Amino acid sequence: MVTAIKASNLGARATATLLAGTILSGVVAPAAAQTAAKPAAAPAAQAQATPAPVAPAVVRTIKSLRVEGSQRIEPETVLSYTRLRVGDSYTAETVDQAIKDLLASELLANVEISGLDDGNLIIRIRENPVINRVVFEGNKRLKQDKIDKEIKLKPRQIFTRTAVRADIARIVELYRRQGRFAARIEPKMVSLDQNRVDVIFEIHEGAKSKVRQINIIGNEVFSDKKLRAQMATKVASFSHFLSSNTSYDQDRLAYDQQKLRQYYLTEGYADFRVISAVAELTPDKKDFIITYVVEEGPRYKFGPVTVDSAIRDFDDKKLAAALPIKEGQWYNAKAVEDTVEQLSETAGLFGYAFADVRPDFQRNKDALTMSMNFHIGEANRTYIERVEITGNRQTQDKVIRREMRVAEGDAFNTFLVKRSQDRINSLGYFQDKFEIERKEGSAPDRIVLGANVEEKPNGELTLSAGYSSLERFIIQASIRQRNFRGMGQTASISADYSAYSKSVELGFTEPYLFDSNVALGATVFRRDYNSFNYLGTSRNTTYRQVSTGFQLVAGLPLTEYWTLSGRYYLAKDNVTLDQATFYTNGQCDPFKAGRYYCEAVGNRLTSLVGASLIYDSLNSRLRPTRGQRVSLGVDVAGLGGDVHYVRGKIDGAKYWGLGSGFVFSLTGEGGVIKSLDGTEVRITDRFYLGEPQFRGFDIRGVGPRVQRYQYSGTPTNDPTTNTQALVTASDQVVDDALGGKAYYMTKAELELPLGSGAAELGLRPSIYVMAGSLFSIRRPSTNSYFTQATDSTGKLLYNKDGSPTYFPLETPLFDSGGNALYTVNSGANLGLTTTCTVGYAAAAGSPCVGTSVNTRTVNSTAPFYEVYRGSTASPRISVGVGVNWNSPFGPLRIDLAKAIVSQPGDDKKLITFNVGTQF
């Protein structure tokens, strides 16, 4: 029986509950009742007595048959579920079976049959209610739409206790899949009018059941900690707070057993086995304790290693000599797998796509050796029947096919297939870890290559604001389509704004011009850049450079790995200095700005042509894990324009995948620039080194620079009264980076793998060491602006701190017409400026009125002391750790780098970060 309380609506209902025990009582109660109805067992002595005869069943005939209590269900429908018919005979057993059949229909809540004595049978029924709605309460971790897909109870369906029990079990299972083994479901039912009910599932989700402890019994060679590190399941702790593998998962338990076996097999323990793996749930259902019982067994070495090939093209002895495993090495199952793959790849190079390589193990338990014989079965030379491309909804077939290094009819070659796979991966249009499938063709010597791609979104719309330690606040907007029109073209437009730089850039690249193997790209830009130096922590603009122009780039592949690239660059540069700060008499004042800045001021047109020779065998241009890339480039400015120089640059990188997610790389670059017209290379055309390329140093923190120290006090020619002193506080030194005409930089980096939880967040940490230098410019003039004090004998004087004693520099001033200016010393015009040596005139050329003798007007520049530093090829070295993070608000990189070798004048920096822009 189902217990219910009627209510006119859900909001005003009495809290009537259909508890789980109540629901299940419909199953338990009949069995209990039957047990209670049984008489007590007879004594042993009575058990031997002759049993009483059983009375024969009374047989009667059904005279009439009527159904009472039906509301929605037609009486004929009720009778159809029974075998009772008017005129048929019946017994008590027949009636009992009819009741069971009606209840089994799950349409009825209760059934009674009366009138058994006279044959006028009345079937009284109470129908199961109709579900008005199904409500879930307390489900926060599992949304209702996910539960709705799994349960059977739906509105307007018939309510049954069986369906409630099944749905409870299903919801509990859903929570267990999330690791919530403490989840409880309490069903409730609210009766409504017209025999309707609301079914309510009160859900108590509970906390996730974590793995509290992993015990390993039987291990002697390796520690528990080392073995736990091999498992995917992790113990819940602070160090694994980012991991999603701290909850219990039965499938993961089986996976961890395989991981343990794989680890032992790679260490030579060929007899290792996991005897048992048990996961116990704690009484509070909050945690699991997992216990493994293992048997390590002895350690084996490789015995003789041979190759037995049925393919006549192969020499067994030469193949065996080239294998990576040798007799006497510790047995390693992974090395055996790699050897099988190597032999398969070797067969593929000769066109045998389906070569069957089988290792034959011969174990000697007495000598503890594992002899290996690799049998290569007979195979036919294979040819490519066709190349099937599927899954590309937007990308045109030709974009994929032109990256294939093999075509229909070619002999199969594993190297070329692998190269095709790498080239398609490098496009960046498709899913990660794309692989070309190999399928048997229509004949034994035919193979079908399948490129089943899964396209990724290749359009990028970026509207972001961020903060950079390099440029402070940044606003960036860009639109980029890397697979424009599905033809592999790249189109982009971007705009950037920060306190020190502004730019607008439009670009377009066609990788296969007119379907030929020639790439052509064009970029149009305008860049507004404010250079700056530091006075303490304050940035001061030194010069402003506005560049407007375009660049054309063309690339022509020479071979599979070699490419020749050419470019033409045309830009107009306008370099300016603040006139109020750096100008005197309308001219750039080298005493204020430095001669190196004054030489750069003005408009110049740069017309540059360049070429690069590139070797590229990387398996991916986006995130390489193996291969190398080398580029050698030369640029010549002087094909017209105002700037004449030649610039050479070389850079290279090599990557090694070390396994288990480790990637080691070596990168290096260097360059040199030389003037072609005998003038010094402008400061705006030189190389610079520092953040973000050279971590551990500040922006433009490496290389030649002039540091300017101010003086305090008053200089005199008398050492006893001289109070001048050099201000050496670091926050009062003006630091101007001059760039260099030659540089080099190299880096060794190891990318570290993380757990799956951190990997899902896009975290990629690495450790690295960097070395480099910037040097080779003409030494600028320093300290030649001021007059050094001398004593009465003409001997140069120095301050008490050892610095030269300098007097201020007094520069005569002129008006715009070149007339000398004077200051009136007396009279009504005292302090005014005039062009009269005597008297006063309001305008140049007007009569001078008065008799005052005027003083020459000068601009007094306070003395300073300049030091030229950093122009040395000696290396600077830094070590550090960095993390790349594809965060929800944009790519982020954080570096903690320490400069361990530096040169005087270098600006070091420990922590750098960049967020909101690409890096």
Side-chain angles (χ1 to χ4, degrees):
M1 299 291 290
V2 176
T3 303
I5 296 178
K6 295 183 179 180
S8 58
N9 56 64
L10 186 60
R13 71 179 184 266
T15 309
T17 62
L18 178 64
L19 299 175
T22 306
I23 290 178
L24 299 176
S25 65
V27 176
V28 179
Q34 292 176 10
T35 303
K38 291 182 180 180
Q46 295 179 3
Q48 299 175 359
T50 302
V54 179
V58 179
V59 180
R60 297 184 176 87
T61 301
I62 301 175
K63 298 177 181 179
S64 64
L65 196 59
R66 188 169 79 250
V67 177
E68 293 182 356
S70 62
Q71 297 178 357
R72 302 182 312 276
I73 308 174
E74 295 294 332
E76 291 78 7
T77 303
V78 176
L79 293 176
S80 68
Y81 283 96
T82 72
R83 298 179 182 178
L84 301 177
R85 300 292 183 270
V86 175
D88 291 351
S89 58
Y90 69 93
T91 63
E93 288 79 5
T94 305
V95 174
D96 286 344
Q97 185 62 44
I99 293 174
K100 291 180 181 178
D101 291 341
L102 287 170
L103 292 175
S105 70
E106 295 191 345
L107 297 174
L108 306 175
N110 190 37
V111 178
E112 295 179 359
I113 300 179
S114 61
L116 302 181
D117 295 336
D118 57 5
N120 295 312
L121 301 185
I122 301 174
I123 303 176
R124 293 185 176 88
I125 64 172
R126 180 160 58 86
E127 297 176 352
N128 272 332
V130 175
I131 299 173
N132 178 55
R133 61 174 180 162
V134 180
V135 180
F136 302 95
E137 295 180 352
N139 57 311
K140 297 180 180 179
R141 303 293 181 180
L142 199 61
K143 299 304 179 183
Q144 182 167 338
D145 58 342
K146 292 186 177 181
I147 302 178
D148 284 338
K149 296 176 183 178
E150 303 292 338
I151 64 174
K152 295 180 179 179
L153 293 178
K154 305 292 181 185
R156 295 184 297 279
Q157 290 185 355
I158 302 300
F159 170 85
T160 65
R161 291 173 293 183
T162 303
V164 172
R165 288 195 295 269
D167 286 349
I168 291 174
R170 185 59 181 159
I171 296 172
V172 169
E173 178 63 24
L174 290 177
Y175 275 102
R176 287 190 173 186
R177 289 183 181 180
Q178 288 191 345
R180 300 181 184 276
F181 286 81
R184 293 183 295 108
I185 316 296
E186 294 183 9
K188 295 183 179 180
M189 184 181 74
V190 176
S191 296
L192 307 174
D193 55 359
Q194 299 179 354
N195 198 23
R196 296 176 302 125
V197 293
D198 284 340
V199 180
I200 304 171
F201 291 102
E202 283 193 358
I203 301 175
H204 304 273
E205 296 181 319
K208 268 193 174 184
S209 300
K210 300 291 185 179
V211 176
R212 179 194 298 176
Q213 190 174 343
I214 299 178
N215 300 319
I216 305 174
I217 301 174
N219 56 309
E220 297 179 357
V221 180
F222 301 108
S223 65
D224 289 7
K225 181 178 179 181
K226 194 172 189 65
L227 295 181
R228 282 194 291 263
Q230 310 305 317
M231 302 177 184
T233 303
K234 303 299 180 185
V235 176
S237 63
F238 178 77
S239 60
H240 295 128
F241 77 99
L242 287 176
S243 175
S244 60
N245 293 341
T246 55
S247 58
Y248 171 73
D249 187 318
Q250 186 174 358
D251 294 335
R252 198 183 298 130
L253 185 68
Y255 175 73
D256 287 339
Q257 296 179 57
Q258 292 298 321
K259 292 288 288 181
L260 282 176
R261 177 164 174 76
Q262 289 175 8
Y263 178 69
Y264 269 93
L265 288 177
T266 59
E267 296 294 332
Y269 296 88
D271 296 334
F272 172 83
R273 64 193 183 102
V274 179
I275 298 174
S276 66
V278 179
E280 297 177 285
L281 186 62
T282 57
D284 58 6
K285 295 186 178 181
K286 291 184 178 180
D287 299 303
F288 275 90
I289 298 176
I290 302 176
T291 303
Y292 295 92
V293 179
V294 302
E295 182 180 315
E296 294 178 326
R299 193 178 189 187
Y300 287 78
K301 288 186 176 182
F302 280 115
V305 181
T306 58
V307 176
D308 175 20
S309 174
I311 300 177
R312 289 176 296 177
D313 292 346
F314 295 158
D315 186 312
D316 296 349
K317 293 183 179 180
K318 289 184 178 180
L319 283 178
L323 295 182
I325 57 177
K326 305 295 180 182
E327 182 177 358
Q329 296 177 346
W330 290 113
Y331 173 75
N332 187 326
K334 180 63 169 59
V336 175
E337 293 178 4
D338 293 343
T339 302
V340 171
E341 183 177 353
Q342 176 181 324
L343 290 173
S344 298
E345 293 292 323
T346 302
L349 290 175
F350 288 86
Y352 299 96
F354 301 111
D356 183 18
V357 181
R358 296 183 181 179
D360 180 20
F361 300 85
Q362 298 175 359
R363 184 180 322 212
N364 187 331
K365 293 189 175 182
D366 296 330
L368 296 180
T369 59
M370 186 77 71
S371 300
M372 301 294 305
N373 178 59
F374 294 94
H375 177 72
I376 305 176
E378 187 174 357
N380 295 318
R381 194 179 297 275
T382 312
Y383 297 87
I384 299 172
E385 181 175 343
R386 65 182 181 275
V387 178
E388 296 178 345
I389 298 176
T390 57
N392 53 319
R393 293 172 296 177
Q394 176 187 352
T395 308
Q396 297 184 13
D397 269 24
K398 68 176 184 179
V399 173
I400 303 174
R401 290 187 182 276
R402 66 196 184 193
E403 302 300 330
M404 299 289 292
R405 303 296 95 180
V406 291
E408 286 87 348
D410 290 351
F412 177 81
N413 186 300
T414 53
F415 173 78
L416 294 179
V417 172
K418 181 65 176 174
R419 178 61 180 167
S420 302
Q421 182 175 297
D422 290 343
R423 289 180 65 93
I424 295 174
N425 269 321
S426 293
L427 293 175
Y429 305 156
F430 310 113
Q431 79 276 17
D432 296 334
K433 299 182 180 179
F434 159 79
E435 292 184 359
I436 296 177
E437 300 176 353
R438 308 175 190 178
K439 297 178 288 186
E440 295 184 358
S442 58
D445 63 344
R446 294 290 183 267
I447 186 173
V448 176
L449 300 181
N452 184 16
V453 300
E454 180 182 340
E455 292 181 326
K456 298 190 300 186
N458 292 304
E460 300 174 5
L461 172 61
T462 303
L463 297 172
S464 62
Y467 186 85
S468 165
S469 61
L470 187 66
E471 297 185 80
R472 301 299 190 254
F473 287 101
I474 301 169
I475 298 175
Q476 179 187 49
S478 66
I479 300 175
R480 184 183 182 210
Q481 175 58 258
R482 293 186 295 114
N483 190 11
F484 187 58
R485 300 187 300 161
M487 298 178 64
Q489 301 165 337
T490 300
S492 64
I493 178 173
S494 64
D496 299 278
Y497 178 87
S498 73
Y500 293 94
S501 66
K502 307 169 188 63
S503 67
V504 177
E505 186 170 303
L506 291 84
F508 183 83
T509 301
E510 169 56 71
Y512 282 78
L513 186 64
F514 305 124
D515 290 329
S516 63
N517 204 8
V518 176
L520 181 65
T523 303
V524 179
F525 59 86
R526 179 180 173 88
R527 304 180 184 125
D528 189 341
Y529 174 71
N530 288 342
S531 179
F532 53 87
N533 60 20
Y534 287 98
L535 180 57
T537 58
S538 299
R539 296 189 176 199
N540 307 291
T541 297
T542 53
Y543 66 86
R544 179 184 178 188
Q545 180 179 359
V546 178
S547 299
T548 305
F550 69 90
Q551 178 172 268
L552 297 176
V553 179
L556 175 65
L558 302 178
T559 67
E560 177 61 28
Y561 298 108
W562 288 96
T563 300
L564 179 63
S565 172
R567 56 191 165 272
Y568 177 72
Y569 173 93
L570 181 67
K572 182 178 181 181
D573 297 322
N574 183 21
V575 178
T576 59
L577 293 169
D578 181 62
Q579 294 196 10
T581 306
F582 300 109
Y583 276 59
T584 300
N585 293 326
Q587 299 294 324
C588 180
D589 190 343
F591 310 133
K592 298 178 180 180
R595 185 173 291 106
Y596 34 87
Y597 285 147
C598 289
E599 292 171 353
V601 171
N603 288 310
R604 289 177 177 84
L605 183 67
T606 301
S607 177
L608 179 147
V609 61
S612 294
L613 186 62
I614 304 168
Y615 175 85
D616 189 345
S617 64
L618 298 178
N619 65 331
S620 172
R621 295 170 189 165
L622 304 178
R623 189 178 172 186
T625 58
R626 59 178 172 82
Q628 57 189 356
R629 186 181 190 278
V630 179
S631 174
L632 176 62
V634 177
D635 295 307
V636 178
L639 189 66
D642 307 313
V643 181
H644 302 82
Y645 63 78
V646 60
R647 179 176 61 201
K649 187 175 180 182
I650 183 172
D651 63 81
K654 186 171 180 60
Y655 296 82
W656 293 269
L658 304 181
S660 302
F662 289 93
V663 179
F664 180 71
S665 63
L666 282 175
T667 60
E669 61 180 280
V672 62
I673 185 171
K674 180 177 178 58
S675 174
L676 295 178
D677 58 6
T679 61
E680 181 69 359
V681 176
R682 289 188 308 160
I683 194 171
T684 54
D685 294 325
R686 299 172 188 167
F687 299 112
Y688 289 90
L689 203 57
E691 183 190 347
Q693 309 101 315
F694 201 161
R695 298 156 196 164
F697 295 88
D698 208 341
I699 177 173
R700 299 191 295 274
V702 175
R705 59 211 322 102
V706 170
Q707 293 180 324
R708 181 177 294 184
Y709 297 84
Q710 304 297 328
Y711 281 103
S712 65
T714 304
T716 67
N717 287 319
D718 185 355
T720 61
T721 60
N722 178 50
T723 60
Q724 190 180 70
L726 203 62
V727 179
T728 58
S730 59
D731 61 349
Q732 297 297 316
V733 178
V734 177
D735 193 330
D736 286 324
L738 306 183
K741 293 190 293 184
Y743 85 101
Y744 66 87
M745 184 177 66
T746 183
K747 178 179 67 173
E749 185 169 15
L750 179 64
E751 186 174 318
L752 308 174
L754 289 180
S756 58
E760 290 171 2
L761 294 176
L763 293 173
R764 293 189 291 115
S766 63
I767 56 176
Y768 52 83
V769 57
M770 303 186 71
S773 187
L774 180 71
F775 52 96
S776 184
I777 64 169
R778 185 178 66 193
R779 184 184 183 94
S781 299
T782 57
N783 307 312
S784 59
Y785 325 118
F786 306 101
T787 301
Q788 187 172 354
T790 59
D791 61 10
S792 57
T793 64
K795 183 179 179 181
L796 295 176
L797 294 180
Y798 292 86
N799 302 315
K800 294 180 179 179
D801 56 15
S803 61
T805 303
Y806 285 133
F807 288 109
L809 176 67
E810 296 185 346
T811 305
L813 296 182
F814 300 87
D815 65 5
S816 58
N819 300 303
L821 295 177
Y822 296 86
T823 302
V824 179
N825 290 324
S826 62
N829 298 310
L830 177 66
L832 297 181
T833 301
T834 181
T835 57
C836 299
T837 57
V838 177
Y840 176 79
S846 298
C848 297
V849 179
T851 59
S852 63
V853 178
N854 302 326
T855 304
R856 189 72 167 88
T857 304
V858 297
N859 178 57
S860 181
T861 302
F864 52 79
Y865 181 65
E866 290 182 333
V867 179
Y868 176 61
R869 289 174 169 164
S871 184
T872 173
S874 299
R876 284 77 161 174
I877 301 175
S878 67
V879 295
V881 57
V883 177
N884 284 325
W885 178 30
N886 293 326
S887 69
F889 43 86
L892 166 70
R893 174 155 185 119
I894 300 177
D895 284 282
L896 179 65
K898 173 71 173 177
I900 57 176
V901 175
S902 61
Q903 300 297 326
D906 290 346
D907 289 337
K908 293 175 282 188
K909 192 170 187 180
L910 182 64
I911 300 176
T912 60
F913 68 92
N914 194 299
V915 63
T917 58
Q918 296 293 330
F919 51 85

